[in-house]
Amino acid sequence: LEKATVGTVHSEDWGIFNRICDIINTTEDGPKDAVKALKKRISGNCNHKEIRFALSLLDFCMNNCDPCFQSLVVKKEFAKDVLVKVLKPKYNPPVDVQNKILNFIETWANGVQRVVDVSEVKEIYMDMKKKGIVFPPSDFAVEKQSNCPLRTVPTEDLSLKEPCLLPSLTSTVAAFPATHETLVTLTPIQVKNLQIGKLYSELDIVKMNISVMSAILIENTPAAENPDDMELLEKLHNTCQAMQERIRKLLNDVANEDVTHVLLQVNDDLNNVFLRYNRY
């Protein structure tokens, strides 16, 4: 497993992935040893390339290994303590890594196989939803599956048609990096002079800030607030107000209906979270 996920390899070696699945399915301690090795590779690893390979291998094994392996993966000890932990700010995972982990949690929560108990991962999923964490859209899951071949089909390395850029809310809200310089990045210039991908990336930051604000408002009780949460909430409120002003100026220059729709939607989300903030 370490050989299959080392950062020096250029792409997934589906042949090694197959052999790992064979070991998992044909040895008594295979499932337990594989989960232990995956945990070792992912936990506390700052090498995002190695994490990507480990997640690809995990996806492959979940599609091709027996329920004994699957049942260990959907337990809190792995799904939450290993995977969800990667989403914390101190690890600063790339968007594609965030989306893959979020997609795993959502997919597993909806059922792996009838013989696998998914109650623990479902509880994790529902808790994340309550905190306002944004999960990738369903079409991301469909596209993603083409990246992970089953053992009965050709193993060419297929890529996503379009990258999914939906940053997630981390489980430790107060630790979210909230410097003004990092968050305020939108500029009120005409969209025709701004790459659409860059604009959407900036809007993803706005969505993340909205999610963090929402989570803080949910998790705190008036007169019993966490001081760090409240300090972050104030910073996010000020930053989001500046962002909204820039979004409104951008709307005057937009000639693309799709972009206009997204800008209006984000603006509505900002208005909603500001209303909740004022009520709080």
Side-chain angles (χ1 to χ4, degrees):
L1 189 144
E2 289 183 358
K3 181 180 179 181
T5 59
V6 68
T8 55
V9 300
H10 298 295
S11 61
E12 290 90 344
D13 188 328
W14 303 113
I16 295 180
F17 283 15
N18 264 315
R19 291 198 292 275
I20 291 173
C21 282
D22 287 337
I23 296 172
I24 293 174
N25 291 334
T26 59
T27 61
E28 182 178 356
D29 293 330
K32 181 178 66 176
D33 290 342
V35 170
K36 184 178 179 181
L38 283 166
K39 178 179 180 180
K40 182 179 178 181
R41 174 57 85 193
I42 297 173
S43 295
N45 193 346
C46 294
N47 188 323
H48 296 143
K49 188 176 181 182
E50 291 185 349
I51 292 178
R52 286 188 182 95
F53 286 137
L55 295 177
S56 291
L57 175 57
L58 173 61
D59 196 15
F60 187 84
C61 291
M62 287 297 284
N63 288 328
N64 295 287
C65 290
D66 294 337
C68 185
F69 171 81
Q70 297 170 340
S71 63
L72 294 175
V73 170
V74 297
K75 296 293 185 184
K76 285 184 179 180
E77 288 77 9
F78 186 84
K80 182 177 181 179
D81 297 343
V82 177
L83 294 183
V84 176
K85 191 175 181 180
V86 174
L87 302 177
K88 288 192 173 184
K90 66 178 180 179
Y91 299 113
N92 193 28
V95 171
D96 64 311
V97 171
Q98 296 179 38
N99 280 334
K100 182 165 284 191
I101 291 174
L102 290 171
N103 177 253
F104 284 167
I105 299 299
E106 186 171 43
T107 300
W108 299 341
N110 291 326
V112 181
Q113 289 185 8
R114 291 184 179 180
V115 295
V116 176
D117 179 11
V118 297
S119 58
E120 292 189 23
V121 72
K122 194 164 189 174
E123 182 180 339
I124 296 168
Y125 172 67
M126 296 305 296
D127 183 59
M128 295 172 75
K129 293 282 284 185
K130 289 178 181 177
K131 290 180 178 179
I133 295 177
V134 179
F135 285 79
S138 57
D139 58 345
F140 171 79
V142 174
E143 297 265 352
K144 177 200 69 68
Q145 290 175 0
S146 65
N147 273 334
C148 184
L150 294 174
R151 302 171 73 190
T152 55
V153 301
T155 58
E156 58 265 28
D157 183 15
L158 304 176
S159 60
L160 296 179
K161 294 178 180 178
E162 294 182 1
C164 179
L165 300 175
L166 285 175
S168 69
L169 166 65
T170 59
S171 54
T172 307
V173 175
F176 184 82
T179 61
H180 185 77
E181 292 79 7
T182 300
L183 298 179
V184 182
T185 53
L186 288 180
T187 54
I189 63 176
Q190 292 189 13
V191 173
K192 66 180 181 180
N193 295 324
L194 185 67
Q195 294 180 357
I196 297 298
K198 176 71 164 59
L199 175 60
Y200 282 167
S201 179
E202 301 289 356
L203 291 174
D204 285 336
I205 297 175
V206 183
K207 294 176 185 177
M208 178 183 283
N209 296 337
I210 293 171
S211 294
V212 176
M213 284 190 68
S214 178
I216 294 175
L217 292 171
I218 291 173
E219 294 182 356
N220 283 273
T221 303
E225 297 94 345
N226 180 308
D228 292 335
D229 280 3
M230 292 300 101
E231 181 181 357
L232 174 57
L233 183 62
E234 291 299 322
K235 290 180 179 179
L236 285 170
H237 179 251
N238 294 335
T239 296
C240 284
Q241 283 186 318
M243 286 178 163
Q244 186 178 53
E245 182 63 26
R246 286 163 170 75
I247 287 174
R248 288 173 175 173
K249 291 179 180 179
L250 273 173
L251 281 168
N252 294 325
D253 300 321
V254 168
N256 183 307
E257 289 186 4
D258 291 336
V259 175
T260 299
H261 175 75
V262 173
L263 289 171
L264 289 172
Q265 188 174 49
V266 173
N267 187 62
D268 286 344
D269 291 341
L270 284 167
N271 286 333
N272 288 333
V273 78
F274 289 156
L275 179 61
R276 293 176 57 196
Y277 170 86
N278 291 331
R279 287 175 177 171
Y280 187 93

